[in-house]
Amino acid sequence: MTDHTSSLLSSRSRPAWVLTGFVLLVFCTGTAEYLVAGVLPQLATDVGVSTAAAGQTVTAYALGVAVGGPLVTILTARLPRKGLALSLGLVFIIGTLITVIAPTYAWVIVGRVVSACSQATLFAIGLTTAATAMGPGRQGRAIAIVSSGLTVATVLGVPLGALLGGNLNWRIPFLIVAVVAIAGVLILWSSMPRTPAPATGVRDEIRTLLRGPVLLAVMTTVVGFAGVGIVFTYLVPLLSDVTGLAASVIPALLLAYGVGGFVGNLIAGRFADLDLGKTLVGVFVALVLTLALFPLVAEHPAPMIGMVLVLGLLSTATIAPLQSLVLRHAGAAPTLSLAVNVGAFNMANAVGSALGGIGVSAGLLRWGGFGGAVFAVAGLVLALLALSTTPQEDNQ
């Protein structure tokens, strides 16, 4: 952002309220993604499809984020940020309401895709706005605060869907999400300052995305975070079938995992402000060791519970450092790069769950941690390569 934009944000905005508005909207977009997993049987029965087909509404949302997000960012590159943020919030609300009133499966898919297309760009605007509002030297914390909306959604999305949708109607949780999103839009409308349209355009955004360190950061997200997906996607059967934990213990452990992710994200954001390189390398080294230990302690309940809690802390600790790395190299045109990196986390989940599924089908449920560790090592190597190029060298 320009110095003029920065001064406008600091003098006319109320940063706490701006952050609150973006956190609410990021929470809503993340929750909408995870809610479906908690209401699949009810959704399938209501619209007359199989449970497997109903599960494809998750895929539709993920594709909307990964594919639609960058396209929306490119098409809106020259629009003023406040108007764009409010418009994207309304697009999400409209898409969610389409899902609420959808009479058929096809309309559910339409609603999911419409709402998903807003997520990546909205998230990216929230990150850049928060980083500017909080000032120099606090980018990591700004990113962590906005991202906390997503980590809370990860913790609460499926349980909220199961609790509200299972006891009432699968459409009710989506209606509640739409109402909360309306609150987020109203908060931004009243607190976010109007700023001039960005001086940068589509070519600047694409040129920034194609910089070596930015591409390396995105690749690091896909490859490094996929290692978490390999283990976490099949964590429940691992804990029940291999570790032998009681079914009543596992939900509480998963909740603790999610809380750990929330805390780890905030801690990593603070450390990223102090030393981005050491934070990113430290997180990946810890992730490699933790994932590699999973197969070794899988049959022992006490250490396994400890490993799950540690993995929870590390699961989202890459978000703030990697997005900070993108901001470091993106200069004045960071929105597309940040949006693509948001989609990269979705892609990492998809890759990790697919590869983990192949391993489970081959009877390797216990040993998935070794595969995850290999991906984390690759992520560490890519992160080191991205960190080795300074912004000054990158801009030459």
Side-chain angles (χ1 to χ4, degrees), residues 256-284:
Y257 174 99
V259 173
F262 175 78
V263 174
N265 172 52
L266 295 178
I267 293 174
R270 180 171 290 273
F271 277 107
D273 288 333
L274 298 175
D275 193 314
L276 176 59
K278 289 182 179 179
T279 300
L280 194 54
V281 171
V283 168
F284 271 111

Side-chain angles (χ1 to χ4, degrees), residues 14-372:
R14 289 171 283 175
W17 283 108
V18 174
L19 288 174
T20 299
F22 277 114
V23 168
L24 282 178
L25 287 173
V26 170
F27 166 76
C28 288
T29 59
T31 301
E33 180 173 2
Y34 294 107
L35 273 179
V36 170
V39 295
L40 277 182
Q42 297 91 336
L43 171 61
T45 300
D46 190 28
V47 297
V49 297
S50 66
T51 301
Q56 295 308 305
T57 60
V58 178
T59 305
Y61 197 96
L63 289 175
V65 175
V67 179
L71 291 176
V72 170
T73 303
I74 290 173
L75 293 173
T76 59
R78 295 303 298 271
L79 296 179
R81 301 293 92 173
K82 179 174 183 177
L84 179 56
L86 296 177
S87 298
L88 291 171
L90 291 175
V91 168
F92 172 78
I93 292 166
I94 290 170
T96 305
L97 291 177
I98 290 174
T99 302
V100 171
I101 65 173
T104 64
Y105 175 70
W107 277 106
V108 173
I109 295 292
V110 169
R112 298 284 288 166
V113 172
V114 170
S115 56
C117 285
S118 66
Q119 188 190 71
T121 309
L122 187 59
F123 200 164
I125 295 172
L127 295 178
T128 56
T129 303
T132 302
M134 292 190 67
R138 304 183 70 184
Q139 285 187 344
R141 275 170 281 185
I143 291 171
I145 289 171
V146 174
S147 301
S148 67
L150 188 60
T151 59
V152 173
T154 305
V155 176
L156 297 180
V158 175
L160 280 177
L163 177 64
L164 299 176
N167 295 335
L168 299 173
N169 183 298
W170 72 267
R171 301 172 192 267
I172 298 298
F174 289 95
L175 181 59
I176 294 172
V177 166
V179 171
V180 176
I182 291 172
V185 168
L186 290 175
I187 290 172
L188 286 185
W189 173 76
S190 63
S191 63
M192 187 177 176
R194 294 187 180 276
T195 56
T200 55
V202 175
R203 291 183 180 180
D204 301 299
E205 293 283 353
I206 294 176
R207 189 182 301 117
T208 296
L209 176 62
L210 295 179
R211 289 177 181 169
V214 175
L215 287 176
L216 282 170
V218 174
M219 291 172 61
T220 302
T221 300
V222 175
V223 174
F225 201 70
V228 176
I230 289 175
V231 173
F232 179 70
T233 304
Y234 300 95
L235 187 57
V236 172
L238 178 66
L239 293 173
S240 60
D241 298 347
V242 179
T243 309
L245 291 181
S248 59
V249 174
I250 293 176
L253 188 55
L254 292 178
L255 179 61
Y257 174 99
V259 173
F262 175 78
V263 174
N265 172 52
L266 295 178
I267 293 174
R270 180 171 290 273
F271 277 107
D273 288 333
L274 298 175
D275 193 314
L276 176 59
K278 289 182 179 179
T279 300
L280 194 54
V281 171
V283 168
F284 271 111
V285 169
L287 201 54
V288 170
L289 295 175
T290 300
L291 290 170
L293 283 172
F294 260 77
L296 303 180
V297 302
E299 293 183 339
H300 308 284
M304 190 62 171
I305 289 173
M307 296 308 301
V308 170
L309 296 178
V310 172
L311 185 61
L313 284 170
L314 297 172
S315 61
T316 57
T318 57
I319 295 178
L322 283 172
Q323 295 288 37
S324 295
L325 183 63
V326 170
L327 277 176
R328 170 188 282 187
H329 294 287
T335 310
L336 177 61
S337 299
L338 290 171
V340 169
N341 208 35
V342 170
F345 281 99
N346 290 74
M347 185 63 69
N349 283 328
V351 171
S353 61
L355 293 177
I358 293 173
V360 171
S361 298
L364 301 175
L365 174 62
R366 174 179 176 176
W367 310 104
F370 287 150

Side-chain angles (χ1 to χ4, degrees), residues 4-17:
H4 176 59
T5 301
S6 180
S7 65
L8 278 172
L9 276 171
S10 60
S11 63
R12 294 174 54 198
S13 69
R14 289 171 283 175
W17 283 108

